[in-house]
């Protein structure tokens, strides 16, 4: 589905992310782990073609289903974003426009992607049910919902778009542990029901381990290690990956 | 929402009351005997006493204040020393002119300033952005009386494109007489379908409107740009981009709306500024509005008229602020919370 | 062992709304850690602020070293604030952006004038060293520090007055796992070196597990379960504690899908606050608020505590 | 700037971290350099200030700034002897324009100092102590805000006779509420910041909290606003003079000079052109500086 | 008036627009009106006669002819036939008598001109006889620009004065009031009086608009654009620039109008004659004339050239050294008190403004601080004539011109004592001068050389006492739209345009 070669994201002279090679098949989940500032979010933005809006530049090749994305025009990109590929941003509440209701955003987005008026309501409700949200939430403004609800709403929104690839940037780190596991559950459902390929970003390897088929560990913009989840979690080749694993707090490890 | 409205309205009332107290205090501070000013210097002692009684000037101060407030409540602002007419009726006569002038200028400010700010924000950091910023700053830095004279010199004296002053060409009165509706020729002509006068009035509007609108245009453009940029870096903009919305929607719908709040609050500020500027512009362009009235009142030390103008300006300001607050509450639900 | 801090029946509100409904806490002299666990909005920060007298108490009592904290005023309050320090949840905001690390950390020394001016710099250097920061960081301003560094500066400042009790409000929640690990190690070290007693607030059971002898589980401002941390984690009794326990991410462990939270999930006005989300809910749970009672060496507020305990046994 | 672990980096590397926020300390000339308008504005502003300070030494006819007339030299067009020409009583306009900087800057400084002191005091008190004090102070502020400066100047001019000083007083009287509002907002938000609580926890007295934490942090946006406002004050003062409510002849006030030259606008253009341009230039300089400062302190926002 | 030979068809609906920098109407009562409104009232009302100082002749107007008895004590006027007031009532001897009697009785404004009159008799509808107390040039008096209007006293049954003040007129003039809106740009509009005795054959302006435009630049530009027909006073630089400009004609005319600085002889620091003298000597009169660039010529005494009593024996002198000496003697200046004076003048008059600037500089050079207050004329005058002396200014700057071509107007109005003050804004109270002034009219009618001598003596006294400083005599600099044909300036009627006499062209 996704094929990345020698992707490099830079701001001015500084390179903030460099991915030599990455392949992701339909229905697969790729986990990206790494400490804060390691370039995870920048990688995600680059995949969505959003880097230049932040003032950065991208080199290298990204292909989606065989189509080269790096050469797309603005207009062509719009046919990709929200239709074939979508993204959930790191901070759930901040990523919703404070002045419009959740329903308005949802409706406009569906309209944008050609969902006929008659179908929209049903589509919205179905998507909300999947993330266990009451459709009443559509009439609320972002400041009237909790962070967990906002995050689940964002997932419902992109799920309703039936995209092929979903990029989720730290969808759980802003949440309580109890809500965290529910979100993971929803993502798992998406992948199982719709065969969506997911890029899942987190600094917590334990969370990634629950969902991902492959894991990529980043540090200071570079890929440290890359491989199947079980291999990375249980037989990490790099010292840094081991540190990262050790940093995950575990009940009953020391006292 | 209704609770919010109620509390804002109550606050506005409080402010108005404060303004009234303040004007009253200032009126008492200004030296001179209002009775003499009204009755004239040759009035006899009895006449003066009669005037004092008529205006309650013989009563203790607190009672005078009560009378003053009661008068205001009944729309009575006293008699102008200069025109010898009730200040209220004078104000009713001059206010529409000013409101039309300032109103049109503010509409222009929004129509030009917002797109200018949008364009600048879109091209942030480029030369175009810098140019837009410099133009905006020039506009807000321009002394209005100077600008008004320059406009007259350039567009009337040198180029001869536009009329120099007045509201319309009064020579048209004989061929197409104008009937007064609200007392403002442009509007009257429009309402009565008097096209020759309307055309003339419209051309007479151009220079005064430019002079008044300059500051608001610059200010609105600057604020729009700033507010948009503040929003553009936000996550929710990134989100709608990721959802595939066009750049036009991103700016026009998603970034502008939350940015409207500072723009709307600016309107009240800009209105106050434009009103003060209209004082000068009206006198340069010889428009018989609140400004001309105020300038005349200042020159003739016509205290009741000056206080009336003060009160009206303050009331307008408070009213506009109230509207602004309510509009903001509609635009941005967070304000209500 | 006498209690350093004793809180009984503490109720706290914002305006009309009560957010903490009668909480009991007990911290003996150090080294000792008490954990407060609960999800976002359960009132943890509010309790911490109340302990520091930053938030007025509605009712209940707070006793520190035998003195009634709620009645403290003037110099007694000042003395209390020397003994008890708070490390804020948001290390970013806790430092004045216009003050260098040196002036921030020496501020308490200046306020209480415990150290002569000439020696303050030395003292700050020692404190920074203790929290594992290089000395040359002294001249920097908060925005020139990383999140972990900032949090450690805040801890250093809190230690400057040699407090007897430290309240740590989610000291690591804003940090990523690697940085969190370093901060936890720091607290562990201090605990032993300084014989420190502390209250550690967190929503992460694993963190509490590592640093606290006993813990209190909060839900919507009420204590659901409290007791030795070990027991709570090994054999949680309250359904909420159980949910929390199973939600802790662990490498190689798939967490079970939890009780589904509906959008309207609100706190019921009567009965057990957890009844809306509880899988074991009975009619009585909705009708009657369960009181805390002793169940197997700990306190549990659940009508079905015995059922669960029996089940475990 | 890139590729760093947030925690264990050497000091030098961290110093450059791009993390700017309103109310942070001066981010240094490095960021200023990216704001060309700030540089231009500072240079222009410095020139105006210098011109004002050095006026007696750099003008050809310093006495022309005062009460003198030269009947034989009225309305001379600009020439080598009179760079900006002469006015209707034969005074050298260049001299008067340069001296005018003193008057305008004097008014600006007076208004800014008075209104900043009053505004900060009221605003900080309201924001810091909150509660009923806040409500009372802010309603009073609203009243003054709604009161037109122009009318107040009329009253002052009537009571105390018109002069530049009285115009400045009238402006200050209606200007401080803006700072009060701004400072209140700042103080209220600072009070909610962790470091305010931190100070309390450390046992800092209220005075110490206000002076050490609230004031410095609230002052930055007020200062930025002040540089933007300087332009507005110059314009307002000029407007008052223009209406005869401000400075009186022979004070070389720019607005007054334009007013006096207005009848000559079509015949002796230089009489209004140069003082008008001086107002524009000075206002632009202050606006550039204000905008630049704002951009530097809060790059996202740029202009207000 | 000359009809211009113009090939273009004349507009049938032409409007004459008089651009004034001040409000036009301060008072509507033709009996007491005594201010700027003369420019309008002289088009609404007519006098018995009209004087032409250029030819030194008095022309018939509502009176067709008149004779005086040899002793000059009885004057018989024959009235024009079939003239009606705009109210419809006939203008006959009884009506004229009623009007003049009312004017004399009200004794306001310029009514003093009738002081010589003992009785007025309507002999028959066409004949009016005046019996005088002492000989006086009654034909000239009857031509006065103020207080000589013939109006209908029966216009209304109620309070006539009130009716006038509401903006009504009841004259015989060529125009009637169309609308009046105080404080607006087009303050006053007049329209043709269809029944005017002169008739409307030929080409005349059908309406007159009095526009109030305070800004001279704006006014000039309006004139150039055809939005105005006439500006009474243009500042000298603008005037120079208008010479030869397209669409505009300029007129320069000597006048009987001078600019005076009345020094407060009654209260304040100027009550000390030495201080007054110092102030008078500090003023640079030549400098003022140079500065206003053709706007004024230098004056001598109070009487301008061309009138009886004009003299070169009195000359304003400038002597700063002497002024300083006088001030020091009075206790001011170095070591003494600081002398500051308040001068009031009319806002919106650029010439006065310039003069004030010069005076400030002059006085500053002798250490006196002069504070100029620009006020609306009415306010300036109100404060000046206030019964409360504490409100009085130190120096009152204004213009004066005679009501008819005779110097008497200055002396009776400005220098004769009166309480409360009216136009004697120096508040000068000199019994000897009063006596002389009271006898002036009679002397003028009987013994002109003696009258001339008395005028000169008075001017010397005024100069000795430094009652007023004559700053200059106005040189009218007027501007007209070139479409206006037939304009002739008449200095007896300062700033008045007799619109009926003009011919509009396209
Ligand atoms: N607009 C920008 N200009 C310059 N550098 C940037 C910009 N945005 C991000 N960076 C830098 O890019 C690097 C990678 O940032 P990124 O947001 O991808 O980190 P992350 O791995 O997502 O971290 P976190 O876990 O904190 O979200 C950081 O060092 C950051 O400072
Ligand atoms: N300033 C405030 N005004 C009103 N309500 C508040 C305020 N601060 C917090 N609350 C409410 O009080 C309750 C307890 O908040 P508190 O901050 O103590 O929670 P917490 O357990 O610390 O949560 P978190 O884990 O998110 O920090 C919440 O419902 C919250 O919405
Ligand atoms: Mg990230
Ligand atoms: Mg908290």
């Amino acid at each position: 589905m996704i094929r990345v070669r020698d992707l490099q994201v830079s701001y001015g002279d500084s390179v903030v992310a460099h991915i030599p090679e990455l392949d992701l098949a339909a229905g697969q989940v790729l986990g990206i782990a790494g400490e804060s500032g390691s370039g995870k979010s920048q990688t995600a933005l680059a995949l969505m073609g959003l880097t230049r809006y932040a003032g950065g530049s991208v080199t290298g090749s990204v292909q989606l289903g065989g189509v080269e994305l790096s050469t797309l025009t603005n207009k062509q990109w719009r046919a990709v974003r929200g239709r074939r590929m979508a993204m959930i941003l790191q901070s759930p509440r901040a990523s919703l426009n404070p002045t419009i209701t959740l329903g308005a955003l949802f409706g406009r987005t569906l309209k944008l992607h050609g969902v006929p008026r008659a179908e929209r309501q049903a589509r919205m409700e179905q998507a909300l049910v999947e993330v266990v949200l009451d459709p009443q939430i559509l009439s609320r403004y972002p400041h009237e919902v909790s962070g967990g609800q906002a995050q689940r709403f964002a997932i419902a929104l992109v799920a309703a778009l039936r995209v092929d690839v979903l990029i989720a940037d730290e969808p759980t780190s802003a949440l309580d542990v109890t809500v965290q596991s529910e979100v993971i559950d929803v993502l798992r459902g998406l992948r199982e029901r719709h065969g969506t390929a997911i890029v899942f970003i987190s600094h917590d390897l334990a969370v990634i381990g629950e969902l991902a088929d492959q894991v990529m560990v980043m540090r200071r913009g570079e890929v440290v290690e890359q491989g199947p989840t079980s291999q990375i979690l249980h037989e990490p080749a790099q010292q840094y990956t081991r540190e990262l694993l050790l940093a995950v707090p575990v009940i009953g490890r020391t006292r | 929402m209704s609770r919010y409205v109620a509390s804002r309205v109550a606050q506005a009332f409080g402010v108005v009351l404060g303004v009234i107290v303040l004007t009253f205090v200032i009126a008492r501070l200004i030296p001179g005997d209002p009775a003499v000013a009204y009755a004239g210097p040759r009035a006899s002692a009895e006449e003066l006493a009669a005037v004092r009684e008529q205006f309650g000037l013989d009563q203790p101060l607190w009672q005078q204040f009560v009378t003053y407030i009661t008068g205001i409540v009944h729309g009575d602002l006293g008699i102008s020393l200069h025109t010898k007419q009730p200040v209220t009726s004078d104000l009713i006569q001059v206010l529409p002119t000013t409101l039309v002038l300032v109103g049109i200028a503010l509409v222009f400010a929004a129509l030009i300033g917002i797109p200018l700010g949008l364009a600048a924000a879109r091209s942030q950091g480029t030369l175009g952005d810098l140019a837009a910023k410099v133009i905006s700053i020039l506009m807000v830095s321009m002394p209005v009386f100077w600008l008004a004279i320059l406009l007259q010199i350039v567009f009337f004296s040198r180029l001869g494109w536009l009329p120099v002053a007045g509201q319309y060409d009064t020579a048209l009165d004989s061929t197409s007489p104008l009937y007064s509706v609200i007392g403002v020729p442009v509007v009257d002509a429009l309402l009565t379908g008097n096209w020759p006068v309307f055309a003339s009035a419209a051309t007479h509007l151009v220079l005064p409107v430019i002079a008044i609108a300059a500051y608001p245009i610059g200010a609105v453009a600057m604020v729009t740009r700033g507010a948009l940029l503040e929003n553009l870096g936000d996550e929710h903009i990134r989100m709608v981009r990721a959802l595939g919305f066009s750049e036009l929607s991103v700016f026009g719908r998603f970034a502008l709306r939350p940015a409207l709040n500072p723009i709307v609050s600016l309107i009240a500020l800009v209105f106050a500024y434009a009103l003060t500027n209209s004082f000068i512009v009206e006198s340069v362009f010889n428009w018989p509005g609140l400004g001309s009235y105020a300038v005349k009142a200042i020159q003739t030390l016509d205290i009741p008229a000056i206080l009336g103008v003060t009160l009206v300006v303050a009331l307008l300001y408070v009213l506009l602020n109230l509207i602004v607050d309510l509009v903001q509450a509609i635009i941005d639900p967070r304000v209500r919370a | 062992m006498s209690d350093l801090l004793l809180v009984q029946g503490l109720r706290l509100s914002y305006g009309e709304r009560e957010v903490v409904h009668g909480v009991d806490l007990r911290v003996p002299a150090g080294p000792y850690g008490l954990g407060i666990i609960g999800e976002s909005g359960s009132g943890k920060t509010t309790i911490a602020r109340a302990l520091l007298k930053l938030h007025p108490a509605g009712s209940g009592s707070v006793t520190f070293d035998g003195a009634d904290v709620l009645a403290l005023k003037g110099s007694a309050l000042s003395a209390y604030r020397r003994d008890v320090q708070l490390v804020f949840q948001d290390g970013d905001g806790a430092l004045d952006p216009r003050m260098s690390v040196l002036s921030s950390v020496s501020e308490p020394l200046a306020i209480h004038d415990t150290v002569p001016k000439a020696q303050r710099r030395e003292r700050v250097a020692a404190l920074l060293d203790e929290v594992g920061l290089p000395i040359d960081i002294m001249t920097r301003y908060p925005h020139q520090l990383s999140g972990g560094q900032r949090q450690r500066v805040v801890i250093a400042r809190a230690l400057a007055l040699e407090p007897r009790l430290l309240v740590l409000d989610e000291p690591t929640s804003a940090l990523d796992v690697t940085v969190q690990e370093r901060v936890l190690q720091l607290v562990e070290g201090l605990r032993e070196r300084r014989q420190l007693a502390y209250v550690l607030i967190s929503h992460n059971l694993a963190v509490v597990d590592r640093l606290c002898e006993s813990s209190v589980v909060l839900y919507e401002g009420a204590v659901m379960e409290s007791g030795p941390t070990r027991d709570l984690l090994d054999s949680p009794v309250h359904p909420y504690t159980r949910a929390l326990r199973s939600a802790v991410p662990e490498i190689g462990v798939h967490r079970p899908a939890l009780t589904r939270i509906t959008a309207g999930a609100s706190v019921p006005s009567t009965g057990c606050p957890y009844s809306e989300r509880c899988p074991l809910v009975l009619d009585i749970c909705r009708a009657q608020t369960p009181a805390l009672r002793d169940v197997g060496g700990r306190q549990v507020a659940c009508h079905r505590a015995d059922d669960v305990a029996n089940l475990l046994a | 700037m890139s590729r760093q672990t947030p925690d264990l980096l050497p000091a030098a590397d961290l110093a450059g971290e791009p993390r700017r926020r309103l109310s942070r300390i001066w981010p240094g000339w490095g960021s200023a350099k990216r704001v060309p308008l700030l540089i231009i504005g500072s240079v222009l502003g410095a020139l105006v200030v210098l011109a004002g300070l050095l006026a007696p030494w750099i003008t050809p006819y310093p006495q022309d700034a005062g009460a003198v007339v030269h009947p034989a030299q009225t309305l001379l067009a600009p020439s080598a002897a009179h760079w900006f020409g002469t006015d209707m009583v034969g005074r050298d306009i260049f001299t008067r324009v340069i001296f005018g900087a003193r008057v305008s800057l004097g008014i600006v400084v007076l208004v800014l100092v008075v209104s900043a002191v009053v505004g900060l005091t009221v605003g900080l008190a309201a924001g810091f102590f909150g509660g009923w004090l806040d409500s009372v102070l802010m309603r009073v502020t609203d009243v003054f805000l709604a009161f037109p400066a122009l009318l107040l100047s009329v009253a002052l001019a009537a009571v105390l006779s018109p002069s530049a000083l009285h115009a400045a007083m009238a402006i200050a009287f209606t200007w401080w509420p803006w700072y009060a509002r701004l400072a209140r907002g700042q103080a209220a938000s600072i009070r909610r910041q962790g470091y305010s609580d931190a100070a309390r926890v450390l046992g800092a007295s209220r005075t110490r909290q206000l002076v050490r934490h609230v004031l410095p942090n609230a002052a930055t946006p007020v200062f930025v606003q002040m540089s933007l406002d300087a332009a507005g004050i110059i314009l307002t003062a000029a407007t008052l003079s223009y209406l005869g409510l401000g400075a009186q002849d022979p004070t070389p006030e720019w607005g007054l000079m334009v007013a006096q030259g207005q009848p000559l606008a079509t015949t002796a253009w230089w009489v209004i052109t140069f003082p008008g341009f001086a107002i524009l230039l000075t206002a632009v300089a202050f606006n550039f500086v204000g905008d630049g400062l704002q951009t530097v302190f809060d790059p996202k926002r740029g202009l207000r | 008036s000359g009809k211009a030979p113009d090939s273009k068809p004349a507009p049938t609906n032409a409007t004459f627009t008089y651009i004034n920098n001040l409000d036009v109407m301060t008072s509507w009562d033709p009996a007491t009106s005594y201010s700027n409104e003369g420019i309008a009232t002289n088009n609404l009302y007519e006098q018995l006669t009209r004087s032409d100082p250029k030819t030194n002749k008095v022309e018939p107007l509502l009176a067709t002819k008149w004779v005086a008895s040899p002793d000059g004590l009885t004057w018989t006027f024959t009235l024009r036939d079939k003239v009606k007031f705009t109210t419809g009532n006939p203008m006959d001897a009884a009506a004229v008598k009623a009007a003049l009697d009312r004017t004399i009785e009200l004794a306001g404004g310029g009514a003093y001109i009738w002081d010589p009159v003992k009785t007025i008799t309507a002999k028959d509808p066409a004949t009016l006889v005046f019996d005088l107390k002492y000989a006086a040039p009654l034909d000239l008096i009857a031509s006065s620009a103020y207080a000589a209007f013939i109006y209908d006293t029966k216009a209304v049954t109620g309070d006539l004065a009130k009716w006038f003040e509401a903006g009504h007129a009841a004259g015989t003039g060529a125009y009637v009031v169309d609308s009046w809106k105080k404080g607006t740009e087009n303050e006053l509009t007049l329209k043709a009086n269809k029944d005017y005795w002169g008739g409307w054959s030929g080409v005349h302006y059908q309406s007159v608009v009095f526009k109030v435009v305070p800004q001279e630049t704006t006014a000039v530009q309006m004139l150039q654009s055809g939005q105005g027909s006439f500006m009474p006073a243009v500042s000298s630089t603008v005037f120079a620039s208008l010479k030869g400009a397209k669409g505009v004609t300029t007129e320069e005319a000597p006048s009987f109008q001078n600019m005076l600085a009345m020094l407060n002889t009654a209260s304040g620091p100027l009550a000390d004659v030495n201080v007054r003298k110092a102030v008078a000597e500090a003023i640079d009169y030549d400098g003022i004339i140079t500065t206003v660039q053709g706007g004024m010529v230098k004056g001598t005494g109070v009487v301008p050239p061309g009138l009886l009593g004009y003299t070169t024996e009195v000359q304003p002198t400038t002597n700063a050294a002497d002024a300083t000496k006088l001030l020091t003697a009075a206790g001011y200046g170095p070591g003494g008190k600081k002398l500051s004076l308040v001068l009031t003048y009319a806002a919106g008059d650029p010439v006065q403004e310039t003069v004030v600037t010069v005076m400030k500089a002059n006085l500053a050079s002798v250490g006196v601080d002069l504070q100029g207050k620009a006020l609306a004329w009415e306010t300036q005058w109100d404060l000046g004539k206030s019964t409360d002396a504490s409100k009085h200014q130190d120096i009152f700057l204004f213009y004066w011109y005679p009501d008819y071509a005779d110097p008497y107007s200055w002396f009776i109005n400005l220098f004769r004592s009166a309480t409360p003050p009216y136009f004697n804004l120096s508040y000068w109270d000199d019994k000897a001068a009063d006596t002389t002034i009271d006898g002036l009219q009679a002397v003028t009618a009987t013994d002109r050389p003696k009258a001339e001598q008395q005028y000169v003596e008075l001017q010397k006294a005024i100069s000795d006492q430094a009652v007023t400083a004559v700053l200059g005599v106005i040189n009218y600099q007027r501007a007209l739209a070139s479409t206006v044909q037939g304009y002739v300036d008449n200095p007896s009627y300062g700033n008045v345009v007799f619109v009926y006499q003009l011919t509009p062209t396209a």
Side-chain angles (χ1 to χ4, degrees), chain C residues 41 43-46 89 169-170 201:
Chain C
K44 306 183 296 291
T45 298
T46 314
Q89 184 165 7
D169 185 6
E170 310 216 25
I201 293 173

Side-chain angles (χ1 to χ4, degrees), chain A residues 174 176, chain C residues 12-15 17-20 36-49 55 89 169-170 173 201-203 218 220-221, chain D residues 192:
Chain A
D176 289 331
Chain C
L12 302 168
S13 345
Y14 286 99
R17 194 158 72 90
E18 189 178 88
V19 296
V20 172
I36 301 181
I37 310 162
E39 68 182 314
S40 181
S42 55
K44 306 183 296 291
T45 298
T46 314
I47 293 174
R49 292 173 57 85
H55 190 97
Q89 184 165 7
D169 185 6
E170 310 216 25
S173 71
I201 293 173
S202 176
H203 62 238
L218 277 185
E220 288 299 334
Chain D
R192 271 182 259 115

Side-chain angles (χ1 to χ4, degrees), chain D residues 221-287:
Chain D
V222 173
F223 284 141
V224 170
Q225 189 61 45
M226 279 166 75
S227 54
L228 284 172
D229 281 352
I233 292 167
I234 286 191
L235 292 179
T236 311
T239 305
L240 290 179
S241 300
Y242 176 85
L243 288 173
L245 297 169
Q248 301 290 308
D249 194 274
T251 312
E253 206 276 338
W254 295 331
L256 177 67
M257 290 162 77
V258 174
Q260 290 175 330
Q262 184 171 350
L264 309 164
T266 46
T267 49
W269 56 270
W270 56 90
V271 182
I272 64 157
T273 305
F274 293 106
F277 198 73
I279 302 173
L280 176 66
L281 190 82
T282 313
V284 163
F286 281 120
N287 272 326

Side-chain angles (χ1 to χ4, degrees), chain E residues 264-280:
Chain E
N264 187 339
T265 60
S267 59
L270 294 187
D272 179 347
V273 63
N274 286 325
V275 182
R276 289 206 298 276
K277 276 190 181 156
V279 168

